[in-house]
Amino acid sequence: MPTSIRLSEETETRLNALAQRTGRTKAYYLRELVERGLEDLEDYYLAVEVMERVRRGEEEILSDEEFWRDLDA
């Protein structure tokens, strides 16, 4: 799926240099950044959602003793 983004001049220069040094395309590195970065963003925002539910008392919280006891069960 074609997508367009605007990069700062510095970022564009760095991306061009990396592509030239490695023989890979800029598109390759942009795909890598999006795929890896998306996973990190998903992890972060899902964790934020869970913490909000914890603050509202909507998530069960176990003590370390309860956690370990439940693992043995």
Side-chain angles (χ1 to χ4, degrees), residues 8-58:
S8 70
E9 191 173 319
E10 178 188 354
T11 300
E12 178 81 17
T13 299
R14 291 173 63 194
L15 184 58
N16 283 331
L18 179 61
Q20 285 181 331
R21 285 194 309 263
T22 63
R24 294 191 184 267
T25 65
K26 292 190 304 183
Y28 169 84
Y29 288 112
L30 291 171
R31 267 191 309 276
E32 284 286 301
L33 285 165
V34 169
E35 289 171 4
R36 291 179 185 197
L38 185 56
E39 186 173 322
D40 290 344
L41 287 172
E42 288 168 336
D43 289 346
Y44 173 79
Y45 285 104
L46 292 174
V48 167
E49 285 179 18
V50 170
M51 289 305 300
E52 285 301 316
R53 289 196 307 268
V54 167
R55 286 187 191 104
R56 291 191 305 259
E58 299 170 353

